[in-house]
Amino acid sequence: MTYRTSLFLSILLALALLNGCQTTAPAPPPLKPAPPVEPHAFSMPPLPDLTPVAGRIICLDPGHGGPQPGAVANGLRESDVNLRIALRLRELLAGAGAQLLLTRDSDTTLHSDALTDDLAARAELANRNSADVFLSIHHNADIVSGSARNDLEVYYKMFEDGPSLDLGQCLMQGLALGLRPDAEMKRLLPGNYKVLRTASVPAALTESSYMTHAANAAFLATPEASEAEARSLASGLAAYFTLDPPRVASASAAPLEGGRAHMLSVTFTRGLPLNLSSLTADLDGQSAPGSACATDTGAAWVFRDTLANGRHEAVLHGRNMKGAALRVPVSFDVARPAQSVSVSPLGGPLPAPGAEACYEADVRDALGMPVANGTPVVWTGQNETYTTMEGKARFYQTISEPHPVSAQAGSVQGEWTPSADSAARGGCTLLILDAQTKTPVSRPSAFANGAPIAIGTPEGWMALPADVKRVRITCAGYEPKEVALTGPHTSAVLDPVADGALHGRRIVLDPAYGGRLPGLAGPTGLRACDINLDVARQAMALLQQAGADATLTRTGDIECTDLERLAAAEDAELFITISYGAPPDMLRVLDDSGHRRDDITAFIGHYPKSAKGEALAKQLSARMNGIPALACSAYIIQQTPCPAVWIQPASVEDAAGESQCRSAASRRLAAEAIRDALKAYFTGQATRTTK
């Protein structure tokens, strides 16, 4: 059973961690006498050649343990099965000269009441010891009682289509040939489980069979099953290490040509020679043009384009001559020093005496590019230091008469000197603050007589014409307010919407389907994907108006893969899929007793055992006419790193549902319900949420 696979029908989710492995392992739980071997004609796989694993550091993670047994079905506990196989696999690999780390070697847990900590600690054991691979061993369970499902599934670390994918492919081959030639479905899938997500080494998780399959459970209870699976996993690991995957010794970036170009340098302790023609590089999530060259101990990549100042995340991809993938992430800073500083006042003519003037320093490097964010700028007249954002640093000063203003970045200084026009002053200034925090409100808008007249700075400051005496101030996340200008400089506060509950919240709205994948369609052809997108757009607008950082996984009628949707969720606090018609076998909705229901067309689904997902689903249910909040094990909900829900207020597939979906009022009310439910959800959250 995966760490996040549904655990209904007496399936309990659990974890265990022992930090390291003991020299003498406790005996695993006793095995049952071997029944007739089913479900396939079993043949014990031969012992593989394990020579390639010698000297490798391998971290094995027997899933679950202690009071949290994982799947419990047909008289077996998953945690016991996982442990027996891991202990036998350790014997095989250690006998071949590998260095083994086990997250647990007995039926105990390190964090019995802290699931997230336990999961993180398992991966951390591999990270801390610079393991060559991390392998988490599991066995699955179906949500349907008496199910005949008995698939073979291997998950590799999501978004890591390099060494982790290689590892997953090799493990799949070993299991498919040695243990599961009978499996009708053999799935190699990207997995976003926490043990994979937090591993910094190549990582995979195996679900070799289903314990809810009665005949398979009988087989899993035998010594032969443990031996066969251990041999099959060992075979997969040997195949992976036969490729001699490169092991990184160092990776760094350095400037060339005075910072006009940059080079990545990577050295390896093993895995050479590289296939030079296979090397590519990404920079900040995008493919970066450049050229590669081989070095005695690795490779170098020179970026073609000049890089902006600031922090960069690069990844070098490629393969060695044996076909093993390499994926080397490198974080580095580009910080060319300031070469020029220009100073000027903002907001047109200087305001009247007694008002605040805003001066801006534009700081550039020798290439004419903005310096890195956070570069210190000293306003010399006041001896105050500010930092740059996109090359700009602003300074505010109450003025009496125009006078020279200077700023310095490093050893470079710039100055603004008032001209004769500076004496022609007028108008006033306005500063907008948050009523609760008294901090500046970024980029407020000012309107007079229904027309926009000014946009504020990131520090909430704006200059206004002399003839304006009253303005209406608006800003996303705040209630609009009428402000009277009482003098040369006025300060005003805005009240945050819903007490700021949604301010800055990173929410991803996922309109299901799109393009050539429309979802279900109604009797007169109305497509679910179109309704999904309309409601998601309206909900996004409402959330943004309330101050949330809300985005969509797709912005038009285009196809969007599950991985693209999940990539959008990587730094999200909530992920909300909106659907108005999906095939039931895709959703896998469960009723309150844990049984799968294919006849439910209106529901709000949350992942089983996700307390925060369930809390959000209940808030939505309360605002959507009591649509039931139910467990749902859809892949997209299963794999998000944050709390997630699947909202299906209705389905277009029948005439009544299609009529409801066509109603503009119905779609608007659904969007408003999403906004209101999220307000209530975050109001009740003391801290930012994680799954």
Side-chain angles (χ1 to χ4, degrees), residues 80-147:
D80 298 338
V81 177
N82 299 341
L83 180 59
R84 285 197 290 264
I85 292 164
L87 293 175
R88 177 55 184 144
L89 180 57
R90 178 175 69 173
E91 292 177 1
L92 292 174
L93 298 174
Q99 180 180 341
L100 272 298
L101 306 166
L102 261 68
T103 59
R104 66 181 183 97
D105 58 9
S106 63
D107 190 27
T108 59
T109 59
L110 184 61
H111 297 286
S112 59
D113 58 352
L115 178 60
T116 298
D117 291 342
D118 190 33
L119 292 168
R122 292 171 184 250
E124 177 56 27
L125 177 63
N127 299 343
R128 184 172 62 253
N129 290 278
S130 300
D132 288 286
V133 296
F134 173 86
L135 170 58
S136 191
I137 299 170
H138 288 259
H139 294 79
N140 222 326
D142 201 359
I143 60 176
V144 180
S145 178
S147 170

Side-chain angles (χ1 to χ4, degrees), residues 600-624:
I600 299 177
T601 58
F603 66 94
I604 299 162
H606 61 86
Y607 192 73
K609 303 298 184 182
S610 171
K612 292 176 180 176
E614 183 177 6
L616 176 58
K618 288 181 177 178
Q619 293 287 0
L620 287 159
S621 173
R623 289 158 180 81
M624 289 186 164

Side-chain angles (χ1 to χ4, degrees), residues 315-328:
V315 181
L316 184 68
H317 301 272
R319 293 191 178 273
N320 67 8
M321 293 304 292
K322 291 185 178 180
L326 61 92
R327 181 184 185 277
V328 186

Side-chain angles (χ1 to χ4, degrees), residues 432-436 441 444 473-475 478-481 483 492-496:
I432 304 299
L433 303 174
D434 184 298
Q436 292 182 338
V441 172
I473 304 297
T474 65
C475 188
Y478 292 90
E479 301 292 350
K481 187 172 187 177
V483 176
V493 297
L494 294 184
D495 294 314

